[in-house]
Amino acid sequence: MRARTFVTIAFCMVTCAASLATTAYAQTSSKATTPATRTEKDLLGEKQVPADAYYGIQTARALENFQLSGVAINHYPGFVEAWAFVKLAAARANTASGAMKPERLAMIEKACQAVLDGKYHDQFLVDWYQGGAGTSTNMNANEVLANVGLELGGHKKGEYQFLEPHDDLNMSQSTNDSYPTAIKVALILRNEKLVAELEQLVLSFRKKGNEFLPVVKMGRTEMQDAVPMTVGQEFHAFAASLESEIALLRDAEKSLYSQNMGASAIGTGINVPKGYAAKCSAELAKLTKRPMVVADDMIAATWDQQAFVVYSSALKSTAIKLAKISSDLILLTSGPRAGLFEINLPALQPGSSIMPGKVNPVVPEVVGIIAFRVMGNDMCVTLASHNGQLQLNAYEPLNGLVTIESQALLFNVSKLFRTKCVDGITVNDKQLAHYMETTVGIVTALNPVLGYEKTSELAVEAYTSGKGIVEIIREKKLLTEKQIAELLDPAKLTNLDAIKYPKK
């Protein structure tokens, strides 16, 4: 009995010792793995910020408060670069106005250049969806650029006595002027890239247009046979319609040139040195290589969202055009045996998990999906733009997000459309010839000779009998063979003028 008791006591002692050892190890391990922090404070009090973070306390609060979409502002690198441009222009303007010390400008310039070189983008972390009209985003930029500038200037993160997020990076500014300006700069910098990609898509359609110029087909209105045209004419029309969208995008970009840097909180320019607004605008013009100008009325410019409405509308128009063209291609390739089957699209992947041999028009379909998203984004801009109150529009972050998203999506899908679809399109000559032989639509060409009433009778007879128009004309001896050749030659009926199309 005593021996059993002794064993029990000994077992308990070993177990307790092991437990204490485990606890001690866990505590030691916890201390070893606890990330280092630095203490920062704002008007709400102190907060621990990761020691290796370049952002500061206000960004940390935003990361806690706005975990909504998972889409951080660095999702679009162009927006991060735009902040570097805006803060760089502001710092230079402040220095030129005598408000900022040159040594602080030097640190800001280094920080902005580093961001423009693609560094530190991982520190721009706040969610696009946020309250506060973009304040969290502005402070994220201020804090990151301040701490990057401090390190590059030989100081430590958080040593704000040498470079401060508010007093230096936000000098002569408010979120209410820097935030909309950053969005505009981001859109301006990427608009030319979108235009350039659309121009490449136009060239692809022109190339196909020239390749298919002599191939005759039936045009259709309301999905019914109309009159002859060529496949080349159809593809050149696609190109021409996109060229009009390019012109619209270039024109809409001009609405983004007017900006309100120097407006400060509501447009009155409080805390802004004399001459700063003009100097800042001039710096932005140099950086963007665009004619950036100071808004005529800064109070209006601080709440007015017209620039976003105009540019988003141009993006929507482009999306509508791409969707329409894609829809046409889906119809033209439909079948293949039980549809129009006039053209072939490149086969990219099997189209069904159950139907063998099926290949879907996946690229035109995804063009449509992107287009619908852009159209929806434009509605968001409409709603956000008219709902702001008084001297500020607090819904501006939504305008920024959806417009930048639309621009990026259109760029990506245009490239996909060109390389994975348009460049590889071929025509089905035999199918097109069959349609031309059996169509009733060419009867329209006889209106000037036989009259509308008589040609209508011929069309009805052709539909009911299943005979061709030419066959019925010969049976009724309505025209001579020479007249048939002259009046009903499909190639002549297209009125094709090959000279007017660009040879690209």
Side-chain angles (χ1 to χ4, degrees):
M1 188 70 170
R2 288 180 180 177
R4 184 180 298 175
T5 302
F6 176 78
V7 170
T8 302
I9 293 171
F11 177 77
C12 289
M13 291 176 65
V14 170
T15 303
C16 289
S19 178
L20 289 171
T22 301
T23 302
Y25 174 79
Q27 290 174 344
T28 302
S29 177
S30 177
K31 289 179 181 178
T33 59
T34 299
T37 61
R38 67 176 185 268
T39 303
E40 292 196 12
K41 65 178 182 177
D42 59 13
L43 66 90
L44 299 181
E46 292 186 347
K47 190 170 185 61
Q48 297 302 304
V49 177
D52 60 349
Y54 287 89
Y55 60 78
I57 185 170
Q58 287 196 235
T59 301
R61 294 194 189 281
L63 293 175
E64 290 179 352
N65 294 332
F66 303 122
Q67 291 292 341
L68 296 170
S69 69
V71 181
I73 58 173
N74 63 13
H75 183 75
Y76 298 103
F79 186 53
V80 175
E81 294 165 8
W83 277 106
F85 276 130
V86 169
K87 295 300 177 179
L88 179 57
R92 287 175 175 174
N94 277 315
T95 303
S97 300
M100 178 174 284
K101 296 178 180 178
E103 58 268 24
R104 302 208 171 202
L105 169 63
M107 286 189 283
I108 293 174
E109 287 186 322
K110 289 180 181 179
C112 290
Q113 188 57 56
V115 169
L116 292 173
D117 290 338
K119 300 175 182 178
Y120 307 104
H121 283 217
D122 62 335
Q123 299 296 302
F124 291 77
L125 294 171
V126 299
D127 199 298
W128 265 100
Y129 290 89
Q130 57 187 261
T135 299
S136 295
T137 296
N138 182 33
M139 286 310 302
N140 192 173
N142 287 335
E143 291 172 344
V144 170
L145 291 171
N147 281 306
V148 171
L150 285 169
E151 275 200 346
L152 296 179
H155 304 286
K156 295 179 181 179
K157 300 185 190 75
E159 292 186 336
Y160 295 138
Q161 66 270 31
F162 301 108
L163 191 65
E164 214 279 331
H166 292 92
D167 294 336
D168 296 311
L169 271 301
N170 206 59
M171 181 183 288
S172 306
Q173 302 161 63
S174 163
T175 297
N176 306 342
D177 57 10
S178 62
Y179 187 79
T181 303
I183 296 172
K184 290 177 180 179
V185 169
L187 293 172
I188 289 168
L189 293 176
R190 291 300 188 270
N191 188 55
E192 190 56 38
K193 292 186 177 183
L194 172 58
V195 165
E197 183 51 52
L198 288 170
E199 287 176 332
Q200 290 299 309
L201 181 57
V202 166
L203 288 176
S204 290
F205 276 118
R206 291 289 186 196
K207 183 178 180 181
K208 289 298 172 182
N210 291 329
E211 181 183 344
F212 304 145
L213 209 52
V215 183
V216 181
K217 62 166 285 180
M218 279 304 294
R220 295 179 180 83
T221 58
E222 297 177 79
M223 290 302 296
Q224 305 298 302
D225 292 358
V227 295
M229 66 184 304
T230 75
V231 179
Q233 286 175 314
E234 190 169 37
F235 275 69
H236 275 297
F238 291 153
S241 70
L242 285 173
E243 285 175 335
S244 68
E245 300 303 329
I246 290 171
L248 184 61
L249 284 169
R250 283 190 167 133
D251 192 55
E253 180 188 302
K254 297 175 184 177
S255 68
L256 302 169
Y257 297 158
S258 177
Q259 48 77 36
N260 67 328
M261 288 294 283
S264 192
I266 65 171
T268 59
I270 189 172
N271 296 339
V272 175
K274 186 177 181 180
Y276 163 84
K279 290 181 174 65
C280 190
S281 184
E283 288 293 338
L284 283 171
K286 291 178 185 177
L287 293 168
T288 63
K289 298 179 175 58
R290 296 292 191 280
M292 306 294 285
V293 296
V294 179
D296 292 333
D297 188 313
M298 292 290 236
I299 293 177
T302 303
W303 59 259
D304 192 354
Q305 304 291 290
Q306 184 191 49
F308 303 129
V309 172
V310 170
Y311 187 70
S312 176
S313 180
L315 293 173
K316 178 185 71 172
S317 182
T318 303
I320 290 171
K321 195 66 61 64
L322 287 171
K324 195 277 180 188
I325 294 171
S326 295
S327 179
D328 285 353
L329 295 182
I330 290 171
L331 285 172
L332 293 173
T333 194
S334 62
R337 298 294 177 86
L340 296 181
F341 193 46
E342 292 190 1
I343 64 172
N344 303 298
L345 303 183
L348 298 182
Q349 59 192 64
S352 175
S353 61
I354 187 174
M355 292 173 280
K358 190 170 184 286
V359 178
N360 295 329
V362 292
V363 173
E365 287 171 348
V366 79
V367 171
I369 289 171
I370 295 298
F372 304 153
R373 175 70 177 205
V374 173
M375 294 175 206
N377 283 349
D378 184 67
M379 177 54 71
C380 289
V381 173
T382 300
L383 294 172
S385 296
H386 82 77
N387 270 302
Q389 298 86 32
L390 302 177
Q391 279 68 60
L392 180 66
N393 191 315
Y395 308 108
E396 205 164 50
L398 181 59
N399 281 344
L401 170 60
V402 298
T403 310
I404 290 175
E405 180 190 61
S406 292
Q407 187 187 59
L409 287 174
L410 288 174
F411 173 83
N412 292 334
V413 85
S414 294
K415 185 176 182 179
L416 174 70
F417 194 21
R418 171 174 59 87
T419 59
K420 294 287 188 179
C421 181
V422 178
D423 286 346
I425 292 176
T426 58
V427 296
N428 295 312
D429 299 278
K430 291 183 179 180
Q431 186 79 340
L432 292 169
H434 169 70
Y435 287 149
M436 290 307 304
E437 290 171 3
T438 58
T439 184
V440 176
I442 59 173
V443 74
T444 303
L446 300 178
N447 282 351
V449 178
L450 301 178
Y452 181 82
E453 185 175 348
K454 186 61 177 178
T455 54
S456 295
E457 292 176 3
L458 293 174
V460 171
E461 183 175 346
Y463 281 126
T464 55
S465 67
K467 297 178 181 179
I469 286 293
V470 175
E471 181 182 358
I472 295 173
I473 289 173
R474 283 180 174 140
E475 287 178 355
K476 296 181 179 294
K477 298 181 180 181
L478 297 174
L479 298 172
T480 66
E481 289 300 318
K482 183 179 180 180
Q483 287 176 312
I484 290 174
E486 290 178 351
L487 295 173
L488 297 179
D489 179 0
K492 290 183 179 179
L493 295 177
T494 66
N495 283 324
L496 175 63
D497 182 4
I499 298 175
K500 74 177 185 178
Y501 294 117
K503 301 298 180 184
K504 297 179 180 179

